[in-house]
Amino acid sequence: MDFECGDAGAWRAALGAYAARVETLAGAAASKRELLPLDSFYRGDLPLLLRRRGPKPFLSKSELLRVVQWKLSRGQWRPRLMGYAEALGEAEVEAASRAALAAIPDLARAVSELTALKGVGPATASAILAAFAPEIAPFMSDEAMMVAMGNKEYTLKHYLAFAEKLQKKAKELSVDGESFTPTDIERALWSSVVGSKALSSSEKDVPKADAKRSSKRKRKP
């Protein structure tokens, strides 16, 4: 997916393939086999839970652990991050997340409130914020960052630039009856990248399979 693409239909198609990409990725490695239920929780259950806790919503420690698991399963697995999250106290997670969600739409302040927690960087913070305010805060995935920004930097400054860029793209595409959020843009980009990788991998496997069949035919008397 070219980030400069202005075809809303192409973006909608990439977004529509998201669930299938998650399913494909979940079957690709043992470290990702929990991705399906985690993604269902993250996209379906968590936003509802947070909104029901108004007017001062917060994230529980168990929910934070599932968000971190989701993030790692969807991207690169980093066991050390789970260790940091598991060591956090329930009260500090609730306090930091309550302050962060109350800071929306001030993304700089919201991210800073969450990154005060040990082991929670801008990417994990963005995952929490995206679940609560998808119309403002996109998740800072490696795949979307590379397409939108051309590089990966896990800093607040880079996240704010990334979020602004996805907000503008969502607004640009939300015409003629279409409606996109920055989170939609991130998921479309992620879906496109994961789909391209899967296609590339399958194409590499075809010659190997053909070579094996050819070798078997040659050995016949």
Side-chain angles (χ1 to χ4, degrees):
M1 172 68 71
D2 182 352
F3 191 79
E4 299 306 319
C5 174
D7 182 354
W11 285 91
R12 184 63 64 190
L15 180 60
Y18 176 86
R21 303 301 184 221
V22 168
E23 187 172 355
T24 298
L25 190 60
S31 63
K32 299 183 182 298
R33 61 189 171 199
E34 294 299 315
L35 179 56
L36 277 175
L38 287 169
D39 192 70
S40 177
F41 164 77
Y42 179 77
R43 292 195 296 139
D45 300 335
L46 184 58
L48 292 176
L49 286 170
L50 294 176
R51 287 184 175 84
R52 286 172 183 166
R53 291 179 185 149
K56 295 182 179 180
F58 63 88
L59 192 76
S60 70
K61 178 182 173 179
S62 64
E63 290 160 357
L64 172 62
L65 291 176
R66 294 182 77 178
V67 169
V68 173
Q69 283 182 300
W70 170 82
K71 172 183 173 289
L72 297 178
S73 297
R74 194 173 180 259
Q76 184 176 348
W77 187 258
R78 298 181 178 94
R80 194 174 181 183
L81 291 184
M82 280 304 303
Y84 284 135
E86 288 167 350
L88 293 170
E90 183 72 48
E92 62 180 326
V93 171
E94 289 190 13
S97 60
R98 183 179 283 111
L101 299 183
I104 294 291
D106 185 342
L107 284 183
R109 183 181 159 202
V111 171
S112 296
E113 293 286 358
L114 287 166
T115 54
L117 296 169
K118 185 175 181 179
V120 174
T124 300
S126 73
I128 295 167
L129 299 177
F132 180 68
E135 73 284 0
I136 298 171
F139 170 50
M140 192 184 194
S141 66
D142 289 353
E143 294 81 2
M145 265 200 296
M146 286 303 299
V147 178
M149 307 295 286
N151 65 340
K152 295 181 291 185
E153 289 182 25
Y154 304 103
T155 64
L156 173 58
K157 181 180 179 180
H158 202 66
Y159 175 65
L160 294 178
F162 170 76
E164 182 179 10
K165 200 164 186 179
L166 268 62
Q167 288 167 357
K168 288 181 178 178
K169 176 56 72 172
K171 185 176 181 180
E172 172 194 324
L173 295 173
S174 295
V175 294
D176 298 328
E178 288 284 359
S179 179
F180 288 86
T181 66
T183 291
D184 289 333
I185 300 302
E186 185 278 325
R187 288 176 184 162
L189 292 174
W190 182 88
S191 172
S192 178
V193 171
V194 171
S196 295
K197 287 180 179 178
L199 179 61
S200 176
S201 178
S202 65
E203 288 176 345
K204 288 179 182 178
D205 290 340
V206 170
K208 293 179 182 179
D210 289 344
K212 287 181 180 179
R213 285 194 292 269
S214 176
S215 177
K216 288 180 180 179
R217 284 196 295 269
K218 288 179 181 179
R219 286 199 294 268
K220 288 182 179 180

